[in-house]
Amino acid sequence: MNPEPSGGASTLAAHPHFLTDPDVRAAASTDRSGYLPSTLPDAVVRCRTADDVIEALRLAHGEGIPVVPRGAGTGLAAGASAHQGQVVLDVSAMNRILRIDPVEMLAVVEPGVLNAAVNAAAAEHGLFYAPDPASTAICSIGGNIATNAGGMWCAKYGVTRESVLSLLVVLADGRLLRTGHQTIKGVTGYDLNSLIIGSEGTLGIVVEATLRLRPKPVRTETVAAYFDNIEDAGRAASAITAARIQPSILELIDGPTLEAIDRAHGTAHRQLGGAFLLAQTDGYGAHLELDEIIRAIEPVASSIHRATDAAEADSLVKARRDAIPSLEQLGRVSIGDVAVPRNRLAEAFTGLEQIGERTGVRIFTVAHAADGNLHPMIVVNPEQSITQGPAKEALKEMFYLAKRLGGTLTGEHGVGLLKKDWLLEELGETSIGLQHAIREAFDPMGILNPGKAI
């Protein structure tokens, strides 16, 4: 590590929130991906307003200083990792909810607002914000936008892109860009709003977002099902899709992850089966839809339990949210993110088990089963690396498994640094070339989050 800044950020030192303290730089150097940079960034600029971001980028652009945007630091693909020669632009203090319009059902927020805070504010008006990552309590809206995050409710309501109406973005040279519309519909010009969402901070830095809110469901119904093995659970999830039922939540947890949750929280899920399927429906017909889900999974489930009240339903949802924190008690966690066609979930789970056996790496898997998005999580000892050796080999095999099944290397966590090695194989040279050209049009000097995403 470099305790002293390299001096490459001298121009940015004129910014009023420019920090070079080694502890500050170390805290801002990486995210929750498990990736550890070998050096520290030169400095951190803690922005509190859009004007702070504009000034920082104007100064950085003038000298060609690389800038790494950072929010809550909960990213899982090393998209917010920074090293020597780079400056972290931290927007976590831009955490105000600027406005909630309960009639138009929208919220205008700054990028550092936590996902859970938006939902708490919306709930006061009988509304909710649909993108719901497992890290909802600690992840920020800016980061959700950067990776096009999804979460449990994306089964019915879609990912972040479906819930962001408009953005205010600071471009690499400090100019402001407004994308999207304040209306539900709008097709004037190219869809730059959707282009920014999922771009991992490589096209601009979001300083304001207009979010679409939805009415809280009048009713929800929840069921937990247990299976002898994860392949049966995968087949049950596929059967729900084949029956054309639209759950609001459909989550899968494998046996090893259940054991970790039980160990951390004193629960007994693993005693009930080798895999766990959580399904929730909402709306006026929630109970009827849940009846259909139960009929679809009964042939392969070893036991089925329908929640009798909201508290019991919340405890079942909590088990899914507890998965990652429980695994973090076992070692350093690298959270994978592949997606496959929904009718191939069982094959994907079988393939992941085989990868673990071949590489000797511990793999724990949860999945957003309604959209085929699996999160195979590698757990290594704290002194081990996730970017080389068996862990890297396992990550590579996960991608090839998804590709073989007709899937993708990332469903919602982004590419960051961890998945760039396999990007060309998925997208092809024509697509990569066009995307490089788009990035250059937004940022000709290449100062925004260099080395990430594309």
Side-chain angles (χ1 to χ4, degrees):
M1 289 291 183
N2 51 319
E4 298 299 325
S6 69
S10 57
T11 303
L12 267 169
H15 197 284
H17 306 302
F18 181 86
L19 304 169
T20 58
D21 179 89
D23 290 339
V24 172
R25 291 155 56 214
S29 66
T30 195
D31 51 22
R32 291 183 77 200
S33 63
Y35 175 80
L36 295 176
S38 58
T39 57
L40 298 180
D42 288 357
V44 176
V45 177
R46 284 186 178 160
C47 297
R48 298 171 184 170
T49 66
D51 285 342
D52 286 344
V53 177
I54 291 169
E55 182 179 0
L57 287 182
R58 283 177 177 167
L59 291 169
H61 187 265
E63 296 293 327
I65 298 168
V67 172
V68 177
R70 178 183 179 83
T74 60
L76 298 168
S81 293
H83 54 72
Q84 188 171 3
Q86 298 178 333
V87 171
V88 174
L89 200 155
D90 184 343
V91 298
S92 60
M94 297 177 63
N95 57 6
R96 294 179 301 161
I97 296 176
L98 302 174
R99 178 167 64 95
I100 290 184
D101 184 334
V103 176
E104 285 297 316
M105 294 190 291
L106 58 83
V108 181
V109 307
E110 292 181 327
V113 174
L114 298 185
N115 183 289
V118 174
N119 261 311
E124 296 179 9
H125 302 278
L127 303 168
F128 77 105
Y129 178 61
D132 176 47
S135 56
T136 179
I138 57 174
C139 66
S140 63
I141 293 297
N144 293 172
I145 291 168
T147 60
N148 194 24
M152 288 190 274
W153 286 335
C154 65
K156 183 173 184 177
Y157 297 102
V159 292
T160 297
R161 187 171 282 122
E162 281 73 59
S163 289
V164 176
L165 297 174
S166 176
L167 296 170
L168 185 62
V169 181
V170 183
L171 300 177
D173 58 5
R175 287 179 297 159
L176 276 172
L177 169 69
R178 174 72 71 177
T179 67
H181 306 79
Q182 299 290 310
T183 53
I184 299 299
K185 297 173 78 172
V187 294
T188 310
Y190 293 134
D191 189 357
L192 298 182
N193 205 57
S194 292
L195 182 61
I196 296 292
I197 299 167
S199 63
E200 302 185 50
T202 62
L203 302 181
I205 296 179
V206 173
V207 292
E208 182 185 290
T210 301
L211 309 177
R212 180 181 183 182
L213 305 177
R214 301 171 191 270
K216 284 190 73 69
V218 297
R219 178 174 183 169
T220 61
E221 295 281 341
T222 307
V223 68
Y226 295 86
F227 302 82
D228 291 338
N229 54 67
I230 192 64
E231 289 82 7
D232 282 349
R235 281 187 279 273
S238 297
I240 293 170
T241 300
R244 299 183 182 178
I245 307 165
Q246 183 66 76
S248 54
I249 291 176
L250 189 63
E251 298 288 310
L252 265 176
I253 306 176
D254 72 358
T257 308
L258 289 176
E259 290 176 8
I261 294 169
D262 290 343
R263 188 182 301 112
H265 298 279
T267 48
H269 295 288
R270 185 63 178 86
Q271 296 176 23
L272 298 173
F276 169 89
L277 179 67
L278 171 71
Q280 191 170 88
T281 55
D282 65 21
Y284 288 102
H287 59 298
L288 300 176
E289 286 187 304
L290 201 71
D291 288 343
E292 293 301 314
I293 286 176
I294 290 172
R295 274 192 279 273
I297 64 178
E298 273 180 329
V300 287
S302 56
S303 67
I304 297 174
H305 179 73
R306 193 167 187 158
T308 57
D309 55 34
E312 190 174 12
D314 288 346
S315 71
L316 293 171
V317 174
K318 183 178 181 297
R320 168 62 180 88
R321 295 198 189 281
D322 286 338
I324 294 173
S326 298
L327 293 176
E328 288 175 335
Q329 296 184 21
L330 304 180
R332 183 185 298 170
V333 181
S334 176
I335 304 172
D337 171 42
V338 296
V340 300
R342 292 170 294 180
N343 64 352
R344 309 199 74 173
L345 274 170
E347 295 172 79
F349 280 113
T350 299
L352 289 169
E353 289 176 340
Q354 293 170 349
I355 290 171
E357 292 169 1
R358 282 196 301 271
T359 61
V361 171
R362 291 185 294 171
I363 299 176
F364 305 76
T365 304
V366 300
H368 304 307
D371 51 21
N373 187 188
L374 300 99
H375 295 313
M377 295 170 280
I378 293 172
V379 178
V380 300
N381 296 329
E383 67 277 5
Q384 290 179 295
S385 170
I386 62 166
T387 57
Q388 56 188 346
K392 178 68 176 288
E393 182 64 22
L395 285 171
K396 180 178 74 173
E397 289 204 32
M398 287 175 192
F399 163 59
Y400 286 119
L401 170 66
K403 189 171 185 287
R404 190 165 61 249
L405 296 176
T408 175
L409 65 86
T410 177
E412 60 184 359
H413 292 171
V415 174
L417 284 174
L418 295 185
K419 300 180 181 179
K420 285 198 67 175
D421 287 355
W422 310 293
L423 197 62
L424 179 61
E425 291 181 71
E426 176 167 330
L427 297 180
E429 290 185 1
T430 301
S431 179
I432 288 285
L434 285 171
Q435 293 188 53
H436 282 163
I438 291 169
R439 182 167 180 171
E440 186 175 353
F442 275 80
D443 178 19
M445 295 186 68
I447 67 168
L448 290 177
N449 221 5
K452 314 289 178 51
I454 294 294

Short mmCIF file of all heavy atoms in Angstrom, two decimals, residues 356-394:
data_model
loop_
_atom_site.label_atom_id
_atom_site.label_comp_id
_atom_site.label_asym_id
_atom_site.label_seq_id
_atom_site.Cartn_x
_atom_site.Cartn_y
_atom_site.Cartn_z
N GLY A 356 -17.66 -26.62 -7.98
CA GLY A 356 -17.11 -26.67 -6.63
C GLY A 356 -16.29 -27.92 -6.41
O GLY A 356 -15.20 -27.88 -5.80
N GLU A 357 -16.77 -29.06 -6.90
CA GLU A 357 -16.04 -30.33 -6.74
C GLU A 357 -14.73 -30.31 -7.51
O GLU A 357 -13.69 -30.75 -7.02
CB GLU A 357 -16.92 -31.48 -7.20
CG GLU A 357 -18.13 -31.72 -6.30
CD GLU A 357 -19.12 -32.70 -6.92
OE1 GLU A 357 -18.85 -33.20 -8.04
OE2 GLU A 357 -20.17 -32.95 -6.29
N ARG A 358 -14.74 -29.78 -8.75
CA ARG A 358 -13.54 -29.78 -9.58
C ARG A 358 -12.46 -28.83 -9.06
O ARG A 358 -11.28 -29.13 -9.11
CB ARG A 358 -13.89 -29.38 -11.02
CG ARG A 358 -14.52 -30.47 -11.84
CD ARG A 358 -14.47 -30.14 -13.32
NE ARG A 358 -15.15 -28.90 -13.64
CZ ARG A 358 -16.45 -28.81 -13.94
NH1 ARG A 358 -17.19 -29.90 -13.94
NH2 ARG A 358 -16.99 -27.64 -14.24
N THR A 359 -12.89 -27.66 -8.57
CA THR A 359 -11.91 -26.64 -8.18
C THR A 359 -11.54 -26.71 -6.70
O THR A 359 -10.56 -26.09 -6.27
CB THR A 359 -12.46 -25.23 -8.48
OG1 THR A 359 -13.67 -25.02 -7.72
CG2 THR A 359 -12.75 -25.07 -9.96
N GLY A 360 -12.34 -27.43 -5.91
CA GLY A 360 -12.09 -27.46 -4.48
C GLY A 360 -12.51 -26.18 -3.77
O GLY A 360 -12.13 -25.96 -2.61
N VAL A 361 -13.27 -25.34 -4.44
CA VAL A 361 -13.71 -24.06 -3.88
C VAL A 361 -15.10 -24.22 -3.26
O VAL A 361 -15.96 -24.89 -3.83
CB VAL A 361 -13.74 -22.97 -4.98
CG1 VAL A 361 -14.41 -21.70 -4.48
CG2 VAL A 361 -12.33 -22.67 -5.46
N ARG A 362 -15.30 -23.61 -2.11
CA ARG A 362 -16.62 -23.65 -1.47
C ARG A 362 -17.56 -22.68 -2.19
O ARG A 362 -17.29 -21.49 -2.27
CB ARG A 362 -16.53 -23.26 0.01
CG ARG A 362 -15.81 -24.28 0.88
CD ARG A 362 -15.88 -23.88 2.34
NE ARG A 362 -15.14 -22.65 2.61
CZ ARG A 362 -15.19 -22.00 3.78
NH1 ARG A 362 -15.96 -22.45 4.78
NH2 ARG A 362 -14.47 -20.90 3.97
N ILE A 363 -18.66 -23.21 -2.72
CA ILE A 363 -19.64 -22.40 -3.44
C ILE A 363 -21.00 -22.53 -2.76
O ILE A 363 -21.49 -23.64 -2.53
CB ILE A 363 -19.74 -22.82 -4.91
CG1 ILE A 363 -18.38 -22.65 -5.61
CG2 ILE A 363 -20.81 -22.01 -5.63
CD1 ILE A 363 -18.37 -23.13 -7.05
N PHE A 364 -21.59 -21.40 -2.44
CA PHE A 364 -22.91 -21.32 -1.83
C PHE A 364 -23.79 -20.53 -2.80
O PHE A 364 -23.38 -19.48 -3.27
CB PHE A 364 -22.84 -20.59 -0.49
CG PHE A 364 -21.86 -21.17 0.50
CD1 PHE A 364 -20.48 -20.97 0.36
CD2 PHE A 364 -22.32 -21.91 1.59
CE1 PHE A 364 -19.59 -21.49 1.27
CE2 PHE A 364 -21.43 -22.43 2.51
CZ PHE A 364 -20.06 -22.22 2.36
N THR A 365 -25.02 -21.01 -3.03
CA THR A 365 -25.81 -20.37 -4.09
C THR A 365 -27.20 -19.98 -3.62
O THR A 365 -27.92 -20.77 -3.00
CB THR A 365 -25.93 -21.29 -5.32
OG1 THR A 365 -24.62 -21.66 -5.76
CG2 THR A 365 -26.65 -20.59 -6.45
N VAL A 366 -27.57 -18.74 -3.95
CA VAL A 366 -28.96 -18.28 -3.85
C VAL A 366 -29.35 -17.78 -5.23
O VAL A 366 -28.50 -17.55 -6.08
CB VAL A 366 -29.13 -17.16 -2.80
CG1 VAL A 366 -28.72 -17.65 -1.41
CG2 VAL A 366 -28.32 -15.92 -3.18
N ALA A 367 -30.65 -17.61 -5.45
CA ALA A 367 -31.09 -17.21 -6.80
C ALA A 367 -32.39 -16.44 -6.75
O ALA A 367 -33.27 -16.73 -5.94
CB ALA A 367 -31.25 -18.44 -7.69
N HIS A 368 -32.49 -15.44 -7.64
CA HIS A 368 -33.77 -14.83 -7.97
C HIS A 368 -34.38 -15.74 -9.04
O HIS A 368 -34.15 -15.56 -10.24
CB HIS A 368 -33.58 -13.42 -8.52
CG HIS A 368 -32.81 -12.51 -7.61
ND1 HIS A 368 -33.15 -12.29 -6.30
CD2 HIS A 368 -31.71 -11.74 -7.83
CE1 HIS A 368 -32.30 -11.44 -5.75
NE2 HIS A 368 -31.41 -11.09 -6.66
N ALA A 369 -35.13 -16.72 -8.60
CA ALA A 369 -35.53 -17.80 -9.50
C ALA A 369 -36.51 -17.35 -10.57
O ALA A 369 -36.56 -17.95 -11.65
CB ALA A 369 -36.14 -18.94 -8.68
N ALA A 370 -37.28 -16.31 -10.31
CA ALA A 370 -38.29 -15.89 -11.29
C ALA A 370 -37.67 -15.33 -12.56
O ALA A 370 -38.33 -15.29 -13.60
CB ALA A 370 -39.22 -14.85 -10.67
N ASP A 371 -36.41 -14.86 -12.49
CA ASP A 371 -35.77 -14.36 -13.71
C ASP A 371 -34.46 -15.08 -14.03
O ASP A 371 -33.67 -14.61 -14.83
CB ASP A 371 -35.57 -12.85 -13.66
CG ASP A 371 -34.87 -12.38 -12.40
OD1 ASP A 371 -34.20 -13.21 -11.76
OD2 ASP A 371 -34.98 -11.20 -12.06
N GLY A 372 -34.24 -16.24 -13.41
CA GLY A 372 -33.07 -17.05 -13.76
C GLY A 372 -31.74 -16.49 -13.31
O GLY A 372 -30.69 -16.89 -13.83
N ASN A 373 -31.74 -15.57 -12.35
CA ASN A 373 -30.52 -14.90 -11.90
C ASN A 373 -29.95 -15.59 -10.66
O ASN A 373 -30.54 -15.51 -9.58
CB ASN A 373 -30.84 -13.43 -11.61
CG ASN A 373 -29.63 -12.57 -11.31
OD1 ASN A 373 -29.78 -11.42 -10.92
ND2 ASN A 373 -28.42 -13.09 -11.47
N LEU A 374 -28.82 -16.28 -10.84
CA LEU A 374 -28.19 -17.00 -9.74
C LEU A 374 -27.03 -16.21 -9.15
O LEU A 374 -26.29 -15.54 -9.88
CB LEU A 374 -27.66 -18.36 -10.21
CG LEU A 374 -28.68 -19.34 -10.78
CD1 LEU A 374 -28.64 -19.30 -12.30
CD2 LEU A 374 -28.40 -20.75 -10.30
N HIS A 375 -26.86 -16.33 -7.84
CA HIS A 375 -25.72 -15.72 -7.16
C HIS A 375 -24.89 -16.81 -6.47
O HIS A 375 -25.04 -17.07 -5.27
CB HIS A 375 -26.19 -14.70 -6.12
CG HIS A 375 -26.89 -13.52 -6.70
ND1 HIS A 375 -26.39 -12.83 -7.78
CD2 HIS A 375 -28.03 -12.90 -6.36
CE1 HIS A 375 -27.21 -11.83 -8.08
NE2 HIS A 375 -28.22 -11.86 -7.24
N PRO A 376 -24.01 -17.46 -7.24
CA PRO A 376 -23.10 -18.43 -6.62
C PRO A 376 -21.98 -17.68 -5.89
O PRO A 376 -21.30 -16.84 -6.48
CB PRO A 376 -22.55 -19.22 -7.81
CG PRO A 376 -22.74 -18.33 -8.99
CD PRO A 376 -23.85 -17.38 -8.69
N MET A 377 -21.82 -17.95 -4.60
CA MET A 377 -20.88 -17.19 -3.77
C MET A 377 -19.71 -18.06 -3.36
O MET A 377 -19.89 -19.11 -2.75
CB MET A 377 -21.62 -16.63 -2.55
CG MET A 377 -22.67 -15.61 -2.94
SD MET A 377 -23.77 -15.11 -1.59
CE MET A 377 -24.92 -16.48 -1.53
N ILE A 378 -18.52 -17.60 -3.70
CA ILE A 378 -17.29 -18.28 -3.33
C ILE A 378 -16.83 -17.74 -1.99
O ILE A 378 -16.78 -16.53 -1.78
CB ILE A 378 -16.20 -18.05 -4.40
CG1 ILE A 378 -16.59 -18.73 -5.71
CG2 ILE A 378 -14.85 -18.54 -3.91
CD1 ILE A 378 -15.66 -18.40 -6.85
N VAL A 379 -16.51 -18.63 -1.07
CA VAL A 379 -15.99 -18.23 0.24
C VAL A 379 -14.57 -18.79 0.38
O VAL A 379 -14.36 -20.00 0.26
CB VAL A 379 -16.89 -18.73 1.38
CG1 VAL A 379 -16.29 -18.33 2.74
CG2 VAL A 379 -18.29 -18.17 1.25
N VAL A 380 -13.62 -17.89 0.61
CA VAL A 380 -12.23 -18.29 0.79
C VAL A 380 -11.74 -17.78 2.13
O VAL A 380 -12.36 -16.91 2.76
CB VAL A 380 -11.32 -17.76 -0.34
CG1 VAL A 380 -11.78 -18.29 -1.69
CG2 VAL A 380 -11.32 -16.23 -0.35
N ASN A 381 -10.63 -18.29 2.58
CA ASN A 381 -10.02 -17.80 3.82
C ASN A 381 -9.56 -16.36 3.61
O ASN A 381 -9.23 -15.95 2.49
CB ASN A 381 -8.85 -18.67 4.23
CG ASN A 381 -9.29 -20.09 4.57
OD1 ASN A 381 -10.40 -20.30 5.05
ND2 ASN A 381 -8.41 -21.06 4.32
N PRO A 382 -9.51 -15.55 4.69
CA PRO A 382 -9.17 -14.13 4.54
C PRO A 382 -7.86 -13.87 3.83
O PRO A 382 -7.72 -12.86 3.13
CB PRO A 382 -9.12 -13.64 6.00
CG PRO A 382 -10.05 -14.56 6.73
CD PRO A 382 -9.87 -15.90 6.07
N GLU A 383 -6.88 -14.78 3.97
CA GLU A 383 -5.58 -14.55 3.34
C GLU A 383 -5.55 -14.99 1.88
O GLU A 383 -4.58 -14.74 1.16
CB GLU A 383 -4.49 -15.28 4.12
CG GLU A 383 -4.55 -16.80 4.07
CD GLU A 383 -5.51 -17.41 5.08
OE1 GLU A 383 -6.22 -16.64 5.76
OE2 GLU A 383 -5.53 -18.66 5.18
N GLN A 384 -6.60 -15.64 1.40
CA GLN A 384 -6.63 -16.12 0.03
C GLN A 384 -7.15 -15.06 -0.93
O GLN A 384 -7.90 -14.16 -0.55
CB GLN A 384 -7.50 -17.38 -0.07
CG GLN A 384 -6.90 -18.60 0.60
CD GLN A 384 -7.83 -19.80 0.47
OE1 GLN A 384 -8.93 -19.83 0.99
NE2 GLN A 384 -7.36 -20.80 -0.27
N SER A 385 -6.77 -15.19 -2.19
CA SER A 385 -7.19 -14.23 -3.22
C SER A 385 -8.39 -14.78 -3.98
O SER A 385 -8.52 -15.99 -4.18
CB SER A 385 -6.04 -13.98 -4.20
OG SER A 385 -6.49 -13.25 -5.32
N ILE A 386 -9.25 -13.85 -4.42
CA ILE A 386 -10.36 -14.26 -5.28
C ILE A 386 -10.07 -13.96 -6.74
O ILE A 386 -10.88 -14.29 -7.61
CB ILE A 386 -11.66 -13.55 -4.87
CG1 ILE A 386 -11.52 -12.03 -5.03
CG2 ILE A 386 -12.08 -13.91 -3.46
CD1 ILE A 386 -12.81 -11.29 -4.97
N THR A 387 -8.93 -13.33 -7.02
CA THR A 387 -8.62 -12.93 -8.39
C THR A 387 -7.54 -13.81 -9.02
O THR A 387 -7.07 -13.53 -10.11
CB THR A 387 -8.17 -11.47 -8.44
OG1 THR A 387 -7.05 -11.28 -7.56
CG2 THR A 387 -9.30 -10.55 -8.01
N GLN A 388 -7.15 -14.85 -8.34
CA GLN A 388 -6.21 -15.80 -8.92
C GLN A 388 -6.39 -17.16 -8.26
O GLN A 388 -7.12 -17.30 -7.28
CB GLN A 388 -4.76 -15.31 -8.74
CG GLN A 388 -4.37 -15.02 -7.31
CD GLN A 388 -3.01 -14.36 -7.22
OE1 GLN A 388 -2.26 -14.35 -8.17
NE2 GLN A 388 -2.68 -13.83 -6.05
N GLY A 389 -5.74 -18.18 -8.80
CA GLY A 389 -5.83 -19.51 -8.22
C GLY A 389 -7.19 -20.15 -8.40
O GLY A 389 -7.94 -19.82 -9.33
N PRO A 390 -7.57 -21.07 -7.50
CA PRO A 390 -8.83 -21.80 -7.64
C PRO A 390 -10.06 -20.92 -7.68
O PRO A 390 -11.02 -21.21 -8.41
CB PRO A 390 -8.84 -22.69 -6.38
CG PRO A 390 -7.40 -22.83 -5.99
CD PRO A 390 -6.75 -21.53 -6.35
N ALA A 391 -10.08 -19.82 -6.92
CA ALA A 391 -11.25 -18.94 -6.92
C ALA A 391 -11.45 -18.33 -8.30
O ALA A 391 -12.59 -18.26 -8.81
CB ALA A 391 -11.10 -17.85 -5.87
N LYS A 392 -10.38 -17.86 -8.92
CA LYS A 392 -10.48 -17.28 -10.26
C LYS A 392 -10.93 -18.35 -11.26
O LYS A 392 -11.75 -18.07 -12.16
CB LYS A 392 -9.12 -16.71 -10.67
CG LYS A 392 -9.09 -16.10 -12.08
CD LYS A 392 -9.92 -14.84 -12.18
CE LYS A 392 -9.79 -14.19 -13.56
NZ LYS A 392 -8.48 -13.56 -13.77
N GLU A 393 -10.42 -19.55 -11.12
CA GLU A 393 -10.82 -20.64 -12.01
C GLU A 393 -12.31 -20.94 -11.86
O GLU A 393 -13.02 -21.17 -12.85
CB GLU A 393 -10.01 -21.89 -11.70
CG GLU A 393 -10.32 -23.09 -12.59
CD GLU A 393 -9.96 -22.86 -14.05
OE1 GLU A 393 -9.12 -21.98 -14.35
OE2 GLU A 393 -10.54 -23.55 -14.91
N ALA A 394 -12.81 -20.91 -10.61
CA ALA A 394 -14.23 -21.16 -10.38
C ALA A 394 -15.09 -20.06 -11.00
O ALA A 394 -16.13 -20.34 -11.61
CB ALA A 394 -14.51 -21.27 -8.88
#
